[in-house]
């Protein structure tokens, strides 16, 4: 290549690199703006007066979570200890808790980008991967008033801003699932003690915040390890990897005594469709609208689903999470709270990510081009519904908004 041509190539490459840096900087700014909006939202939620009659501005579970810890001393989650410390350090105000939740919400975007890059096998992070991760933090059910009049309560969603323990659990769970996929690729040759401890600790933290992740994750991990045993993976390797979940079992025992002890009057019942039907007009269609994009992508990529472990793992988790939310209900004072939905909500969060990656793999030619455009429109519908919901929350709406 001549000197002039080589120089032109270098200048063109430099131009594209500068454009990429500028575009990624713009994406970072959008994430920061999202974090600031979350800080405002969480602050207003933390000081909201839940005793007023009628519609409550900035209604959420956060004041109740804080009150149960500060006033009642009920330590049901690891977040309780963090909230207690932050409440004390920040002079008895909610500012520390708000900052903590804002950082969790913002960090979730960046951990989601890492997640998307791993399951999508993107070689490097770009402005596009960051924007995709940000959009995945907004997508919500495809809203149809006749199906369910409440934009969140009538459906199921992976993006929730009114429950502080879910916000924390989702971040920790996403990190734990990311760690699992990384270790799953190498555990057959052996994992280090440091890697084992890191994975075990992440699962302990997830479970300590909410047990929801472990009950949808651990059975699927167990099934995959069992399948590896039939593929003649050494039993020792399987036991070492699987034993990383054992410390989380001790946390489950503690939480069970707090949440379902004899003195609480609470238990678990088998009541199919009870939770899903509580606020939806057309229950089964509300379930479909909640996962419309994902359902279409899975149907169109069934052949890939069978042969791609991470995709199959996430889909299997979503099925298990759905069945748990469908069939199980707490008895007693928390019967109407729908607490078995939290695991399914996290499954939807990562299922949307996996399906978005599969959608982007459709080629831009022929029939696949039409399919890709159609799926893009459905994804845009989910995204619009989420953005509309979030903007209204930030401006004072309750999570019960229509």
């Amino acid at each position: 290549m001549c000197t002039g041509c080589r120089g032109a190539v270098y200048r063109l490459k430099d131009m594209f690199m500068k454009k990429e840096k500028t575009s990624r900087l713009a994406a970072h700014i959008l994430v920061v703006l999202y974090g600031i909006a979350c800080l405002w939202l969480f602050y207003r939620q933390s000081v909201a007066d839940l005793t007023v009659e009628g519609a409550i501005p900035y209604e959420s579970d956060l004041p109740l979570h804080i009150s149960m810890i500060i006033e009642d001393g009920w330590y049901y989650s690891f977040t309780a200890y963090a909230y207690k410390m932050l409440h004390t350090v920040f002079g008895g105000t909610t500012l520390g808790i708000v900052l903590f939740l804002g950082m969790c919400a913002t960090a979730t975007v960046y951990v989601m980008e890492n997640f998307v890059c791993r399951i999508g096998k993107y070689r490097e992070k770009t402005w596009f991967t960051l924007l995709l991760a940000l959009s995945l933090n907004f997508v919500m059910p495809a809203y149809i008033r006749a199906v369910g009049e409440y934009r969140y309560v009538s459906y199921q969603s992976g993006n929730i801003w009114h429950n502080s323990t879910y916000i924390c659990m989702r971040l920790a769970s996403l990190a734990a699932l990311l760690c699992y996929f990384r270790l799953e690729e190498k555990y057959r040759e052996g994992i280090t003690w440091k890697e084992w401890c890191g994975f075990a600790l992440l699962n302990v933290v997830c479970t300590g915040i909410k047990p929801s992740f472990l009950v949808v994750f651990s059975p699927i991990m167990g099934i995959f390890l069992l399948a590896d045993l039939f593929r003649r993976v050494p039993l020792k390797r399987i036991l070492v990897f699987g034993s990383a979940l054992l410390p989380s079992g001790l946390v489950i025992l503690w939480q069970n005594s707090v949440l379902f002890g004899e003195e609480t009057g609470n238990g678990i019942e088998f009541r199919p469709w009870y939770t899903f039907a509580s606020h939806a007009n057309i229950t089964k269609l509300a379930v479909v609208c909640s996962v419309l994009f994902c359902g279409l992508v899975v149907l169109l990529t069934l052949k890939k689903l069978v042969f791609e472990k991470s995709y199959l793992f996430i889909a299997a988790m979503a099925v298990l999470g759905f069945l748990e939310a469908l069939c199980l209900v707490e008895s007693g004072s928390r019967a109407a709270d729908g607490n078995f939905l939290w695991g399914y909500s996290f499954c939807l969060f990562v299922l949307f990510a996996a399906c978005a990656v599969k959608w982007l793999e459709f080629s831009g030619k022929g029939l696949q081009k039409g399919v890709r455009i159609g799926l893009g429109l459905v994804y845009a519908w989910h995204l619009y519904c989420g953005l509309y919901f979030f903007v209204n929350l930030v401006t004072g709406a309750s999570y019960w908004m229509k």
Side-chain angles (χ1 to χ4, degrees):
M1 183 182 292
C2 66
T3 304
C5 293
R6 189 181 296 112
V9 170
Y10 286 147
R11 286 193 297 271
L12 189 62
K13 184 178 179 180
D14 185 58
M15 181 181 70
F16 278 118
M17 289 180 64
K18 288 181 179 179
K19 185 177 180 180
E20 170 61 32
K21 288 181 180 179
T22 303
S23 298
R24 186 159 174 84
L25 177 60
H28 281 302
I29 292 172
L30 288 177
V31 175
V32 170
L33 290 176
Y34 168 65
I36 292 171
C38 285
L39 284 173
W40 168 256
L41 173 63
F42 297 148
Y43 172 72
R44 293 303 301 265
Q45 288 179 345
S46 72
V47 297
D49 184 1
L50 302 184
T51 63
V52 301
E53 297 182 0
I56 303 174
Y58 295 101
E59 181 182 7
S60 77
D61 295 342
L62 185 55
L64 296 175
H65 288 171
I66 296 173
S67 175
M68 285 190 294
I69 298 157
I70 305 304
E71 298 175 14
D72 303 332
W74 194 49
Y75 295 86
Y76 65 100
S77 164
F78 285 176
T79 55
Y81 299 95
Y83 289 3
K84 178 67 175 179
M85 180 191 70
L86 291 168
H87 189 266
T88 302
V89 170
F90 282 79
T93 69
T94 62
L95 289 178
I97 298 171
V98 168
L99 287 171
F100 174 68
L101 292 176
M103 288 189 291
C104 285
T106 306
T108 301
V109 177
Y110 288 102
V111 178
M112 173 54 83
E113 184 185 23
N114 289 330
F115 188 79
V116 165
C117 288
R118 171 163 285 275
I119 63 175
K121 296 179 172 58
Y122 293 108
R123 293 183 178 180
E124 59 182 27
K125 298 176 183 178
T126 65
W127 64 270
F128 178 77
T129 58
L130 186 53
L131 282 185
L132 178 61
L134 180 60
S135 73
L136 288 165
N137 280 263
F138 282 111
V139 288
M140 285 190 67
Y143 176 69
I144 302 175
R145 185 179 289 271
V147 173
E149 59 180 326
Y150 300 104
R151 288 181 174 269
Y152 160 70
V153 179
S154 298
Y155 303 84
Q156 301 84 48
S157 176
N159 287 311
I160 297 164
W161 293 274
H162 74 275
N163 186 277
S164 66
T165 50
Y166 176 78
I167 291 168
C168 299
M169 182 208 78
R170 186 174 67 166
L171 172 60
S173 300
L174 189 59
L177 189 57
L178 189 59
C179 183
Y180 165 77
F181 285 143
R182 181 175 62 82
L183 295 181
E184 197 280 334
E185 293 178 355
K186 60 175 295 187
Y187 91 93
R188 295 163 189 82
E189 288 72 44
I191 58 176
T192 67
W193 173 247
K194 183 178 179 181
E195 289 171 330
W196 187 95
C197 288
F199 183 49
L201 180 60
L202 279 171
N203 280 281
V204 166
V205 171
C206 296
T207 308
I209 297 171
K210 269 185 187 296
S212 309
F213 172 70
L214 191 69
V215 296
V216 295
F217 169 74
S218 57
I220 305 303
M221 180 178 172
I223 291 172
F224 273 64
L225 289 178
L226 182 61
D228 279 350
L229 181 62
F230 286 109
R231 295 189 188 102
R232 299 181 181 276
V233 175
L235 179 60
K236 178 182 177 181
R237 302 295 191 196
I238 291 174
L239 292 177
V240 168
F241 193 25
S243 67
L245 298 184
L246 292 179
S248 302
L250 299 177
V251 180
I252 285 280
L253 293 176
W254 163 66
Q255 288 177 323
N256 183 69
S257 65
V258 174
L259 297 172
F260 299 104
E262 292 183 6
E263 69 281 0
T264 66
N266 296 311
I268 299 175
E269 295 181 347
F270 181 80
R271 299 176 67 179
W273 292 106
Y274 176 83
T275 302
F276 286 163
S278 297
H279 303 289
N281 299 329
I282 309 175
T283 304
K284 294 179 178 61
L285 195 52
V287 171
V288 172
C289 288
S290 300
V291 293
L292 182 58
F293 172 76
C294 299
L296 291 172
V297 172
V298 169
L299 286 174
L300 292 166
T301 58
L302 280 176
K303 291 182 179 179
K304 291 185 178 181
L305 178 67
V306 176
F307 297 104
E308 296 186 18
K309 277 191 174 181
S310 59
Y311 189 26
L312 181 60
F313 192 98
I314 293 169
M317 272 182 56
V319 171
L320 178 60
F322 170 75
L323 291 175
E324 289 177 357
L326 174 71
C327 299
L328 302 180
V329 178
E330 287 184 278
S331 60
S333 60
R334 298 195 299 268
D337 291 353
N339 284 326
F340 281 99
L341 281 170
W342 301 120
Y344 182 46
S345 291
F346 175 75
C347 292
L348 290 180
F349 184 55
V350 292
L351 182 63
F352 263 94
C355 290
V357 167
K358 292 300 150 201
W359 158 52
L360 293 171
E361 289 177 358
F362 279 88
S363 70
K365 298 179 181 180
L367 180 60
Q368 285 205 10
K369 180 179 180 180
V371 171
R372 183 171 181 170
I373 293 173
L375 290 173
L377 291 174
V378 177
Y379 186 84
W381 186 9
H382 283 284
L383 181 57
Y384 166 76
C385 291
L387 287 169
Y388 182 89
F389 184 77
F390 180 74
V391 169
N392 278 273
L393 286 184
V394 171
T395 55
S398 162
Y399 66 93
W400 285 85
M401 68 172 285
K402 298 180 180 180

